[in-house]
């Protein structure tokens, strides 16, 4: 066997070994993914079991347990002042990791409630805020979802505003080369990124402080 033939044989053997290593890595990766999925399923089953056990054998009272070192929000001013006077010390809070909210939870929570749409439109005589030209309706935009409270009635209300487009901006010969979209003005929410409205917050405060209902209710 010549030196050239030996070199070709070695190259072929190296290529074959490389292919075998790649195939082994692929099999290992598939097994790791399968193990990871099984671990997630096991963790979900454990959490579901713990939740069911807590719901079955846990405390049924609606009152929340008082945490050590935490002041009650509903003590009288005198009791609060005495507590602050006797416990003048620094309280260290352990860091915690916030669990992200699962998508679709809010939609599932509001699914069974009646819904209505509150739409804000731009007046017909309003013109482009940039060049003063005529506006054309091009669509609608969902701004937010709110929960409106009425006595003995809770309604889901979607806030939608009209979106219009300037017919001159962005056209040939216009002073403004870019298209311009204009949206109807919408009242600001009570709290950012919150579904509560003033009526709902007022009802919760009334039930808690006037009627004495537990917050868990």
């Amino acid at each position: 066997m010549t030196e050239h033939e030996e070199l070709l044989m070695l190259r072929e053997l190296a290529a074959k070994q490389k292919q075998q290593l790649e195939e082994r890595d692929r099999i290992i990766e598939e097994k790791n993914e399968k193990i990871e999925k099984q671990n997630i399923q096991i963790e979900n089953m454990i959490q579901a079991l713990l939740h069911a056990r807590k719901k079955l054998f846990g405390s049924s009272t609606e009152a929340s347990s008082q945490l050590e070192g935490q002041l009650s929000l509903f003590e009288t001013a005198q009791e609060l002042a005495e507590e602050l006077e006797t416990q003048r010390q620094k309280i260290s809070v352990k860091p915690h990791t916030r669990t992200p909210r699962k998508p679709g939870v809010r939609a599932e929570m509001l699914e069974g409630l009646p819904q209505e749409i509150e739409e804000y439109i731009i007046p017909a005589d309003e013109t482009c805020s940039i060049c003063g030209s005529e506006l054309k309706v091009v669509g609608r935009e969902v701004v937010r979802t709110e929960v409106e409270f009425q006595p003995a009635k809770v309604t889901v209300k979607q806030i939608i505003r009209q979106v219009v487009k300037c017919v001159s901006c962005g056209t040939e010969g216009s002073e403004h080369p870019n298209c311009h979209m204009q949206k109807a003005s919408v009242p600001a929410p009570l709290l950012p990124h919150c579904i509560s409205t003033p009526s709902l917050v007022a009802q919760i405060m009334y039930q808690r402080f006037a009627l004495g209902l537990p917050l868990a209710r």
Side-chain angles (χ1 to χ4, degrees), residues 8 10 26 35 49 51 64 70 92 95 108 129 154 172 184 189:
L8 292 177
L10 290 174
R26 185 185 62 82
I35 293 174
L49 178 62
H51 177 72
S64 301
Q70 180 180 4
S92 59
E108 183 179 355
S129 60
V154 177
E172 185 177 358

Side-chain angles (χ1 to χ4, degrees), residues 14-127:
K16 186 176 181 181
Q17 290 179 348
K18 181 179 179 181
Q19 183 178 2
Q20 291 177 350
L21 290 174
E22 291 177 352
E23 180 68 17
R24 186 183 64 180
D25 292 340
R26 185 185 62 82
I27 295 175
I28 293 176
E29 185 176 356
E30 291 179 354
K31 290 184 177 180
N32 289 338
E33 291 179 357
K34 185 176 180 180
I35 293 174
E36 181 68 20
K37 291 181 180 179
Q38 290 177 348
N39 290 336
I40 294 175
Q41 293 177 354
I42 293 173
E43 180 66 22
N44 292 338
M45 293 176 63
I46 292 175
Q47 294 298 330
L49 178 62
L50 293 176
H51 177 72
R53 181 179 298 177
K54 181 179 179 181
K55 190 173 182 180
L56 182 62
F57 301 105
S59 176
S60 60
T61 178
E62 293 182 342
S64 301
S65 58
Q66 186 72 19
L67 298 178
E68 182 180 357
Q70 180 180 4
L71 300 178
S72 174
L73 296 176
F74 310 108
E75 292 179 340
T76 63
Q78 181 64 27
E79 293 174 343
L80 182 58
E82 293 176 357
E83 186 72 11
L84 291 174
E85 183 66 25
T86 56
Q87 296 185 0
R88 286 186 175 180
Q89 57 182 2
K90 294 183 179 180
I91 301 176
S92 59
V93 181
K94 296 182 179 179
H96 66 281
T97 303
R98 181 179 179 183
T99 304
R101 178 182 295 178
K102 296 181 180 179
V105 174
R106 175 178 293 183
E108 183 179 355
M109 179 179 62
L110 304 178
E111 183 178 1
L113 298 177
Q115 300 188 11
E116 65 180 30
I117 295 178
E118 181 176 324
E119 184 174 357
Y120 295 85
I121 63 175
I122 295 178
D125 57 349
E126 187 171 343
T127 57

